[in-house]
Amino acid sequence: MLKPLAVALLVVTAPIVLGLAACQGAPQRAACPAGKVCLEYGNNSEPQTLDPGKANLVDEASIIGDLIEGLTTDAPDATPLPGVAARWETSADGLVWTFHLREARWSDGRAVTADDFVYGLRRTLDPKTASIYAYLLYVIKGGQALNEGKAAAETLGATALDARTLRLTLEHPAPYLPELLKHQSFFPVPKHVVERYGDGWVKPGRFVSNGAFRLTSWQLGDRITVEKNPYYWDARNVCIDRVNYYPTPDVVTAERRIARGELDLNTRFQSNRYERLQETMPGVPRTGVSLATAYMSFNTRDVAAFRDIRVRRALSMTVDRDFIAKKLLRAGQQPAYAFVPPITAGYVKNGPRVAWADMPFAQRQVEAKRLLAAAGFTAKRPLRLTITTPNNTDTLLLMEAIQADWRAIGVEVKLAQYESGVAFSAYRNRDYEVGSMSWYGDFNDPVTFLGLFKSDTGAQNYGDYKSPAYDALLAAADQEPDRARRADILAQAEKLILDDEATIPIYFVVNRNLVSKRVTGWADNAPNFHRTRWMCLN
């Protein structure tokens, strides 16, 4: 899942923070009804949608995962647990999975059925839905044909055998399927509501959910409020009665709100303030290596210069990753000379890296100038480009550092800032030249990263990378039952995109959350998935 690149340089000392808190008086915490437990949740950005078939961003998935539950769900440590599916079995060839659903209900009291899952899967794959994640469902037999408008919905390998038995038939073995089914694109949707309201079903007052919470209000720019769903199958073990999710793009303000007790958690903080936060709020900043990569994409479809590998290589090799990770960020991030994070499950121990990874930075700058000149870009005819970036101080400062790196080799660089939703819309529509983003693995397997570069991935293949050889390697990995051989094939695929300079990996992300000591049930984990049903306040 996508997130804007998030980094910061601004340093605010503790005395200033405390002084501002004092000036602003008592904490402005939302009132909580007597006898209820209310969680105030800082969630980084304003969601564009709460529709599981249309969502794209991490901050959307955080809320959707609290509202709707799939066949499997996230344990506190983000490993897959039975969700609506109480149990399942798999055929000997790994192609047929049969799920037995528990007795579950939607928030309006209607039963959740296997047909709701079939309907949700068909809806995600329907070309009219225009789901950016439809390609994930290509693992289901007939999924790609349905998404490309070449087959009827009834041909999809998803069948309701009865009200509480669902059968999925796959295109190839996918032992990671329980991980994949946690993703919102596989979630059920309430057919009886969607058929009545169409895409407007997600509005408050119409939204019907089957998860631990139900939507009660959405005040744009302020908060989204959900309340405990009394019809949830495990409601008796859900502690939180109400959650307010706030967009918190200003991480400095969010930090102050945590300090004042106005927020109980926030999903980001300034990286270079980690040591200071440990001193001023010990135990509150929570970090850990993440299943995520920060990177940049080239618009090769519309910018002719980016179709020249010499230009892509010159730009990638002159991003000073070591400075960014070790001097600018300083919270444990690692320079990325590959795309797949080294902690990813089911992968080789020492994966491939870009060929020039061990070249000293000064030598890389010299080589980059030579490459640009060979591609026709000189001091008299410089390469000119614009970086499109989400509009927040953190990302702007990082992009300014990269802007300086590229100017040092004679490239003229402009920055175009937009609100996050607008920026990602530009990426999807290819209305950009170079874009900044980070990819958070949707499931713990190399395919969640490498799948972005398949020819048929669609909008999330932002650089429109196309390679028959690459596609063939991923297809071969899909059919390889031996895990070690599969990992080797996937490593060959990654080496291909690195050799082709298909993207600019910058650093491997560190999760950075602020979690009040009042919050219990939060478990740090690499995917950074945290379901509120496990949390409580003391």
Side-chain angles (χ1 to χ4, degrees), residues 74-355:
D74 291 284
D77 65 358
T79 55
L81 278 180
V84 178
R87 57 186 176 85
W88 55 85
E89 59 260 3
T90 313
S91 63
D93 60 6
L95 294 178
V96 180
W97 294 61
T98 304
F99 297 88
H100 304 278
L101 311 188
R102 65 179 81 249
E103 187 175 342
R105 296 189 176 277
W106 294 103
S107 55
D108 62 359
R110 292 276 291 264
V112 177
T113 68
D115 190 52
D116 290 321
F117 281 91
V118 173
Y119 183 77
L121 294 170
R122 290 177 177 178
R123 180 173 179 269
T124 297
L125 286 164
D126 188 333
K128 295 178 182 177
T129 303
S131 172
I132 201 167
Y133 267 119
Y135 71 93
L136 280 185
L137 277 65
Y138 289 2
V139 69
I140 302 175
K141 192 172 183 61
Q144 183 168 0
L146 172 56
N147 186 237
E148 293 176 350
K150 299 176 181 177
E154 292 73 22
T155 64
L156 183 67
T159 306
L161 300 181
D162 57 46
R164 289 171 58 184
T165 310
L166 174 71
R167 183 177 65 202
L168 296 182
T169 304
L170 308 186
E171 289 282 3
H172 56 79
Y176 52 83
L177 189 65
E179 278 267 0
L180 195 56
L181 294 175
K182 300 186 301 175
H183 192 270
Q184 71 266 8
S185 58
F186 289 84
F187 283 0
V189 293
K191 180 179 180 180
H192 62 288
V193 179
V194 178
E195 289 191 338
R196 180 178 180 184
Y197 296 112
D199 288 344
W201 77 277
V202 294
K203 295 180 179 180
R206 298 176 179 175
F207 196 104
V208 174
S209 58
N210 73 322
F213 298 90
R214 60 186 182 89
L215 179 67
T216 58
S217 70
W218 186 347
Q219 302 171 51
L220 285 174
D222 182 16
R223 73 191 70 176
I224 291 174
T225 301
V226 304
E227 295 179 353
K228 184 176 177 178
N229 177 10
Y231 288 106
Y232 180 53
W233 66 269
D234 197 30
R236 64 186 180 278
N237 291 316
V238 176
C239 171
I240 302 292
D241 295 294
R242 188 193 71 195
V243 188
N244 284 321
Y245 305 91
Y246 300 89
T248 53
D250 185 337
V251 291
V252 175
T253 298
E255 178 187 318
R256 295 167 183 163
R257 295 181 71 186
I258 290 281
R260 294 196 298 263
E262 296 176 8
L263 294 178
D264 298 307
L265 60 90
N266 196 62
T267 54
R268 187 160 56 100
F269 64 80
Q270 288 187 177
S271 183
N272 65 356
R273 283 186 53 76
Y274 178 53
E275 292 182 3
R276 170 68 69 178
L277 287 168
Q278 285 180 308
E279 296 173 1
T280 58
M281 293 191 286
V284 173
R286 308 281 285 267
T287 64
V289 63
S290 179
L291 193 68
T293 305
Y295 70 108
M296 301 179 77
S297 287
F298 302 106
N299 182 350
T300 59
R301 189 192 72 177
D302 301 317
V303 183
F306 295 154
R307 293 195 285 273
D308 190 324
I309 189 173
R310 295 170 297 186
V311 173
R312 299 195 303 272
R313 178 163 294 155
L315 293 174
S316 184
M317 71 194 313
T318 49
V319 172
D320 194 345
R321 294 158 174 82
D322 289 84
F323 170 80
I324 288 170
K326 298 173 183 179
K327 301 290 180 65
L328 192 63
L329 306 183
R330 307 197 308 270
Q333 293 87 348
Q334 294 297 313
Y337 294 93
F339 194 73
V340 179
I343 65 165
T344 306
Y347 204 40
V348 294
K349 186 175 181 180
N350 295 304
R353 303 198 304 164
V354 289

Side-chain angles (χ1 to χ4, degrees), residues 31-81:
C32 184
K36 300 295 184 180
V37 180
C38 300
L39 183 73
E40 308 302 313
Y41 191 129
N43 193 42
N44 190 42
S45 69
E46 181 81 53
Q48 301 300 299
T49 182
L50 294 179
D51 190 327
K54 297 176 179 287
N56 176 35
L57 302 178
V58 170
D59 304 325
E60 296 165 345
S62 296
I63 302 174
I64 294 170
D66 280 347
L67 291 168
I68 303 181
E69 185 171 87
L71 293 167
T72 61
T73 189
D74 291 284
D77 65 358
T79 55
L81 278 180

Side-chain angles (χ1 to χ4, degrees), residues 342-511:
I343 65 165
T344 306
Y347 204 40
V348 294
K349 186 175 181 180
N350 295 304
R353 303 198 304 164
V354 289
W356 42 263
D358 295 324
M359 185 183 297
F361 186 67
Q363 186 178 342
R364 281 156 44 189
Q365 289 178 309
V366 172
E367 174 64 8
K369 290 178 182 179
R370 187 193 68 79
L371 289 170
L372 287 176
F377 296 103
T378 63
K380 293 183 178 180
R381 182 179 176 265
L383 174 65
R384 295 181 175 90
L385 59 86
T386 299
I387 300 173
T388 296
T389 178
N391 186 18
N392 61 67
T393 304
D394 298 6
T395 307
L396 175 60
L397 291 169
L398 175 62
M399 291 302 106
E400 286 176 340
I402 293 175
Q403 180 184 42
D405 286 339
W406 288 348
R407 282 178 173 170
I409 58 169
V411 179
E412 295 185 6
V413 186
K414 294 181 180 179
L415 301 181
Q417 306 171 62
Y418 299 98
E419 187 274 331
S420 292
V422 176
F424 280 99
S425 177
Y427 301 156
R428 289 192 295 271
N429 295 324
R430 304 304 188 258
D431 186 20
Y432 79 102
E433 293 181 350
V434 181
S436 63
M437 59 217 44
S438 52
W439 182 259
Y440 283 69
D442 292 310
F443 53 102
N444 196 352
D445 188 89
V447 168
T448 190
F449 293 93
L450 299 177
L452 292 175
F453 300 93
K454 286 184 65 180
S455 300
D456 58 13
T457 288
Q460 286 185 322
N461 181 357
Y462 293 110
D464 290 300
Y465 179 75
K466 291 179 173 61
S467 166
Y470 183 81
D471 293 345
L473 284 168
L474 289 191
D478 283 340
Q479 301 297 331
E480 178 53 66
D482 183 272
R483 293 189 178 228
R485 285 198 292 268
R486 176 179 182 268
D488 286 337
I489 295 170
L490 292 173
Q492 293 175 46
E494 184 180 16
K495 185 177 187 304
L496 191 55
I497 59 170
L498 296 175
D499 288 347
D500 284 347
E501 308 288 354
T503 189
I504 304 178
I506 302 174
Y507 62 88
F508 295 122
V509 176
V510 168
N511 294 325

